[in-house]
């Protein structure tokens, strides 16, 4: 379950059946840092058990990439200094007042606090939820923050984007590795999955200011630089085609006129995502 990405960075792979994201471990000479706390106390506990098998400096911090439940429900179990963007803390403070028993989960789904799928995954991950509470954030930042682990730097930068307003990346320049969290995903617009063109392009520009060779996305295999560059180009191309258009058929015709070919299934999917946001 634990994989070594570089000499100083490890990660636990994602798990789709209960929506577990990748959790990362960054090891400096003095301290270690964890990226995201997991989607449950059990997720956090399993990660910490794997860390204990390694000969690494003591873990001091856990950094949260954004406020969604699958990244924060392990905060208490981690029991570390928890760092997050100030927007992330505000959302977590709101979630700390909520209950997570079956009846409460049903209400959260009705109120669109979480989705039906998320409710199912939470039930699978945390069976005893009557007394479950979300943990606290200890340190916040606004734009960016640097953490010195001893010979290794973690740069936290708020990039926003279309998934959540509080998305944070974690960049380790000495290892040329970047943890992206979920920032490359979209969100729901009137029930339809989509991408806000302006916010997405601004986010990509912020990310590309840093040079990395490996990109860790929470629910995907690790990407190399070429793979992520190809993906950004796909998003930029489809965003341009779908600009100010509210019909997917119209956008596909524009694509065919420009490139003299049919768009791929991936390209069609992203075009539709931009159209959904345009409509909203």
């Amino acid at each position: 379950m634990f994989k070594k990405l570089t000499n100083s960075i490890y990660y636990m792979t994602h798990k789709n059946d209960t929506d577990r994201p990748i959790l990362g471990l960054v090891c400096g000479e003095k301290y270690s840092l964890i990226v995201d706390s997991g989607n449950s106390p059990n997720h956090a506990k399993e990660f910490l058990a794997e860390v204990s098998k390694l000969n690494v400096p003591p873990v001091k911090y856990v950094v949260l990439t954004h406020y969604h439940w699958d990244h924060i429900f392990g905060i208490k179990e981690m029991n570390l200094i928890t760092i997050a963007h100030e927007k992330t803390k505000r959302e977590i403070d709101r979630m700390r007042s909520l209950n997570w028993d079956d009846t409460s989960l049903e209400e959260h789904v009705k109120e669109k606090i979480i989705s039906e799928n998320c409710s199912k995954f939470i039930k699978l991950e945390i069976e005893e939820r009557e007394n479950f509470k979300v943990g606290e954030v200890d340190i916040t930042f606004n734009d960016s923050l640097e953490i010195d682990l001893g010979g290794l730097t973690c740069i936290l930068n708020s990039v926003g984007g279309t998934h959540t307003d509080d998305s944070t990346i974690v960049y380790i320049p000495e290892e040329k590795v970047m943890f992206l969290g979920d920032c490359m995903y979209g969100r729901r617009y009137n029930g339809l999955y989509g991408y806000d063109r302006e916010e997405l392009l601004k986010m990509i520009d912020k990310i590309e200011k840093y040079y990395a060779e490996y990109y860790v996305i929470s629910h995907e295999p690790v990407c190399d630089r070429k793979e992520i560059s190809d993906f950004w180009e796909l998003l930029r191309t489809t965003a341009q085609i779908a600009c100010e258009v509210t019909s997917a058929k119209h956008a596909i015709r524009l694509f065919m006129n420009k490139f003299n070919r049919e768009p791929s299934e991936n390209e069609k999917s992203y075009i539709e995502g931009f159209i959904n946001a345009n409509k909203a």
Side-chain angles (χ1 to χ4, degrees):
M1 293 178 72
F2 241 42
K3 292 192 175 182
K4 187 174 184 178
L5 184 57
T6 70
N7 286 335
S8 303
I9 298 176
Y10 303 80
Y11 67 97
M12 180 181 275
T13 56
H14 63 291
K15 189 177 177 184
N16 290 330
D17 57 352
T18 56
D19 207 27
R20 285 188 173 186
I22 286 176
L23 302 184
L25 177 70
V26 184
C27 307
E29 295 169 4
K30 287 179 63 179
Y31 303 111
S32 298
L33 172 150
I34 292 171
V35 180
D36 281 328
S37 74
N39 75 349
S40 66
N42 281 339
H43 190 193
K45 193 179 296 182
E46 288 173 26
F47 185 84
L48 293 173
E50 292 295 319
V51 174
S52 69
K53 298 174 186 177
L54 302 173
N55 182 24
V56 298
V59 182
K60 187 172 184 178
Y61 308 104
V62 57
V63 172
L64 307 175
T65 59
H66 62 297
Y67 74 90
H68 281 170
W69 72 273
D70 52 319
H71 298 257
I72 69 165
F73 272 16
I75 291 174
K76 276 191 173 182
E77 189 65 37
M78 289 282 184
N79 194 27
L80 299 166
I81 297 171
T82 304
I83 304 172
H85 190 273
E86 57 186 25
K87 290 181 181 177
T88 306
K89 183 184 186 304
R90 282 201 295 270
E91 292 294 335
I92 289 175
D93 285 346
R94 180 180 61 83
M95 294 174 76
R96 280 172 46 75
S97 67
L98 301 177
N99 295 319
W100 301 95
D101 55 86
D102 285 354
T103 302
S104 298
L105 279 175
E106 288 176 13
E107 288 301 314
H108 299 340
V109 171
K110 287 177 186 175
E111 294 170 10
K112 299 187 186 257
I113 294 171
I114 58 170
S115 69
E116 188 71 54
N117 262 349
C118 290
S119 173
K120 178 185 75 174
F121 293 142
I122 290 169
K123 289 176 182 178
L124 288 171
E125 277 285 339
I126 314 173
E127 292 183 3
E128 300 295 327
R129 283 168 281 105
E130 285 73 15
N131 298 312
F132 176 76
K133 291 290 182 182
V134 178
E136 297 181 75
V137 172
D138 301 300
I139 297 173
T140 63
F141 66 96
N142 182 9
D143 184 33
S144 63
L145 178 69
E146 290 192 17
I147 303 171
D148 185 355
L149 299 176
L152 211 60
T153 311
C154 287
I155 299 174
L156 317 184
N157 198 343
S158 171
V159 296
T162 62
H163 187 61
T164 62
D165 297 336
D166 67 319
S167 287
T168 292
I169 60 167
V170 182
Y171 175 57
I172 304 94
E174 295 88 351
E175 296 286 8
K176 298 180 176 63
V177 170
M178 184 182 292
F179 287 86
L180 291 171
D182 287 356
C183 71
M184 45 80 74
Y185 299 129
R187 69 173 77 181
R188 294 281 169 184
Y189 294 89
N190 296 330
L192 299 173
Y193 189 78
Y195 308 85
D196 180 282
R197 176 181 178 272
E198 184 178 346
E199 291 300 321
L200 185 71
L201 296 182
K202 281 197 302 187
M203 181 200 76
I204 295 172
D205 287 343
K206 288 180 182 178
I207 290 171
E208 288 194 321
K209 289 178 181 177
Y210 301 98
Y211 179 86
E213 292 178 357
Y214 296 104
Y215 296 82
V216 185
I217 302 166
S218 293
H219 300 275
E220 311 289 338
V222 173
C223 296
D224 61 26
R225 184 164 182 81
K226 183 182 184 312
E227 288 170 323
I228 205 73
S229 295
D230 289 347
F231 181 64
W232 297 147
E233 183 59 27
L234 165 65
L235 290 177
R236 283 190 171 114
T237 299
T238 51
Q240 183 181 13
I241 291 294
C243 178
E244 298 180 4
V245 176
T246 56
S247 161
K249 287 183 179 179
H250 186 187
I252 289 170
R253 283 199 303 271
L254 291 176
F255 185 100
M256 293 173 67
N257 289 339
K258 181 169 184 175
F259 297 104
N260 199 30
R261 66 174 176 84
E262 284 263 1
S264 68
E265 289 306 310
N266 266 349
E267 288 165 334
K268 287 179 181 176
S269 172
Y270 288 112
I271 286 171
E272 186 173 344
F274 287 113
I275 295 296
N276 288 341
N278 288 347
K279 288 177 179 177

